[in-house]
């Protein structure tokens, strides 16, 4: 695997941490589902993806890298609990969901540090408290509602741009980095990747990072996209103020009086100049 193929598994592991972070602050809204089972599945994916990277970077040096206690624990979880169900496996107890997230962050950073010579220098770990499935369950987002939201945010969504024929063509979609194994160098020009946005800022970042990784694997590029934390914090603040909903849809004032109220709030919070 090249560096961006490996980065894909780092990103998948990072999104497992994102999922646990989301559960940390939305347990009540998701009390109807079996959270223990969901967290167990999230951790399974995390350790499998993390060990894919370690195995590919150090195919003959597992014993050496396991001298590090964190790496040893990562392999222990994968080998004793998730790849197999060994009788001598000892389950670790956690007081809170936050402890699980913190441990996973530490473990993933250790994987990145251990494998840094094999990974892209552009790669960053941009954690966001988000999970596509849990977000939709917690907020009651149906497929119909999602379409309404995306169409509102992107009025030209689904409309074909007028482009001269000489600049158009038909391409196969490159859906997964693993598909590169079945595509020869001569066939790469027949494929294209799709960069998509999400239902909110956090999902958009996840989608764009997934998309640029596919671009890099297919075309041999080194593109990357990272979130601007200060801008994300502004969006979170606007959500708290009720100016944006959880899907980042803007609040529409009901009348002139309500509009003045909204303007006053935005000025007070520094989003508008006096």
């Amino acid at each position: 695997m090249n560096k961006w193929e490996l980065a894909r598994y780092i990103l998948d592991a990072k999104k497992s941490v994102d999922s646990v972070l989301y559960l940390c602050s939305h347990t009540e809204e998701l009390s109807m589902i079996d959270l223990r089972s969901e967290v167990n599945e999230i951790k399974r994916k995390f350790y499998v993806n993390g060990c894919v990277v370690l195995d590919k970077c150090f195919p003959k040096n597992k014993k050496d890298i396991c001298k590090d206690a964190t790496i040893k624990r990562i392999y222990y979880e994968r080998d004793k609990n998730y790849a197999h169900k060994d009788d001598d496996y000892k389950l670790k107890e956690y007081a809170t969901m936050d402890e699980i997230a913190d441990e996973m962050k530490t473990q993933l950073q250790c994987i990145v540090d251990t494998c840094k010579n094999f990974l892209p220098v552009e790669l960053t770990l941009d954690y966001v408290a988000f999970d596509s499935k849990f977000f939709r369950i917690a907020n009651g987002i149906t497929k119909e509602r999602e379409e309404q939201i995306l169409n509102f945010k992107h009025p030209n969504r689904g409309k074909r741009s007028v482009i001269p024929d000489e600049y158009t063509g038909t391409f196969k979609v490159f859906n997964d980095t693993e598909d590169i194994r079945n595509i020869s160098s001569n066939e790469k020009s027949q494929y294209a990747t799709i960069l998509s946005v999400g239902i909110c800022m956090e999902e958009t970042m996840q989608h764009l990072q997934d998309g640029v990784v596919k671009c890099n694997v297919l075309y041999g590029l080194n593109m990357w996209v990272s979130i601007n934390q200060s801008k994300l914090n502004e969006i979170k603040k606007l959500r708290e103020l009720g100016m944006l909903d959880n899907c980042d849809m803007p609040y529409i004032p009901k009348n002139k009086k309500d509009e003045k109220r909204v303007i006053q709030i935005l000025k007070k919070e520094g989003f508008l100049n006096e």
Side-chain angles (χ1 to χ4, degrees), residues 151 154-160:
N151 287 335
H154 312 285
N156 292 321
R157 179 172 176 259
K159 296 180 181 178
R160 185 173 179 179

Side-chain angles (χ1 to χ4, degrees), residues 2 49 89 94 131 154 177 185 187 196 200 203 210 221 230:
N2 69 30
N49 284 316
Y89 172 75
Y94 300 90
D131 180 280
H154 312 285
T177 60
S185 298
E187 293 176 317
S196 62
C200 63
E203 187 173 57
D210 288 341
L221 304 175
S230 64

Side-chain angles (χ1 to χ4, degrees), residues 46-96:
F46 174 81
Y47 288 112
V48 169
N49 284 316
C51 286
V52 165
V53 178
L54 291 169
D55 287 343
K56 294 298 181 181
C57 294
F58 302 96
K60 299 179 181 179
N61 302 92
K62 180 179 177 180
K63 185 178 293 187
D64 290 337
I65 62 174
C66 282
K67 291 176 182 177
D68 183 286
T70 301
I71 297 295
K72 184 177 180 179
R73 183 71 196 186
I74 292 167
Y75 270 115
Y76 178 82
E77 291 293 333
R78 197 275 307 262
D79 296 339
K80 294 286 187 177
N81 189 34
Y82 294 108
H84 306 281
K85 288 294 180 181
D86 289 11
D87 293 337
D88 61 348
Y89 172 75
K90 295 181 180 180
L91 180 67
K92 183 176 179 179
E93 297 293 334
Y94 300 90
T96 65

Side-chain angles (χ1 to χ4, degrees), residues 37-241:
S37 176
E38 293 289 351
V39 170
N40 191 54
E41 177 60 17
I42 290 168
K43 291 180 69 180
R44 183 191 69 79
K45 292 178 181 178
F46 174 81
Y47 288 112
V48 169
N49 284 316
C51 286
V52 165
V53 178
L54 291 169
D55 287 343
K56 294 298 181 181
C57 294
F58 302 96
K60 299 179 181 179
N61 302 92
K62 180 179 177 180
K63 185 178 293 187
D64 290 337
I65 62 174
C66 282
K67 291 176 182 177
D68 183 286
T70 301
I71 297 295
K72 184 177 180 179
R73 183 71 196 186
I74 292 167
Y75 270 115
Y76 178 82
E77 291 293 333
R78 197 275 307 262
D79 296 339
K80 294 286 187 177
N81 189 34
Y82 294 108
H84 306 281
K85 288 294 180 181
D86 289 11
D87 293 337
D88 61 348
Y89 172 75
K90 295 181 180 180
L91 180 67
K92 183 176 179 179
E93 297 293 334
Y94 300 90
T96 65
M97 198 88 73
D98 293 277
E99 283 188 15
I100 298 175
D102 289 342
E103 181 180 66
M104 292 168 71
K105 282 184 179 181
T106 299
Q107 291 173 334
L108 185 55
Q109 187 61 57
C110 186
I111 293 172
V112 170
D113 291 342
T114 302
C115 302
K116 62 182 179 181
N117 292 334
F118 304 91
L119 295 170
V121 295
E122 296 84 1
L123 183 68
T124 55
L125 297 177
D126 301 296
Y127 295 108
V128 288
F130 184 80
D131 180 280
S132 293
K133 179 178 74 173
F134 297 144
F135 178 85
R136 285 162 176 76
I137 293 173
N139 292 283
I141 305 296
T142 63
K143 178 62 176 176
E144 181 181 8
R145 178 57 181 156
E146 183 169 346
E147 288 296 309
Q148 291 173 349
I149 292 168
L150 292 175
N151 287 335
F152 177 86
K153 290 183 180 180
H154 312 285
N156 292 321
R157 179 172 176 259
K159 296 180 181 178
R160 185 173 179 179
S161 301
V162 179
I163 303 174
D165 290 341
E166 60 265 31
Y167 297 111
T168 63
T170 302
F171 297 89
K172 301 174 185 177
V173 177
F174 184 60
N175 289 308
D176 193 293
T177 60
E178 293 182 352
D179 293 342
I180 198 67
R181 304 169 193 169
N182 302 317
I183 302 173
S184 69
S185 298
N186 294 332
E187 293 176 317
K188 289 182 180 180
S189 61
Q190 301 173 20
Y191 286 82
T193 57
I194 297 175
L195 299 180
S196 62
V197 296
I199 199 169
C200 63
M201 180 60 72
E202 292 88 343
E203 187 173 57
T204 292
M205 189 206 72
Q206 289 184 346
H207 284 350
L208 290 177
Q209 287 189 341
D210 288 341
V212 296
V213 167
K214 285 185 283 188
C215 287
N216 294 340
V217 169
L218 182 62
Y219 300 118
L221 304 175
N222 291 296
M223 296 192 299
W224 186 239
V225 57
S226 184
I227 200 159
N228 185 319
Q229 286 295 337
S230 64
K231 294 299 181 183
L232 179 59
N233 289 337
E234 288 183 5
I235 289 173
K236 289 180 179 179
K237 182 64 177 179
L238 288 169
R239 292 172 186 164
E240 293 174 5
L241 294 170

Side-chain angles (χ1 to χ4, degrees), residues 6-18:
L6 290 171
R8 171 263 173 91
Y9 295 99
I10 293 292
L11 271 189
D12 286 347
K14 195 278 301 186
K15 283 186 285 186
S16 290
V17 182
D18 291 348

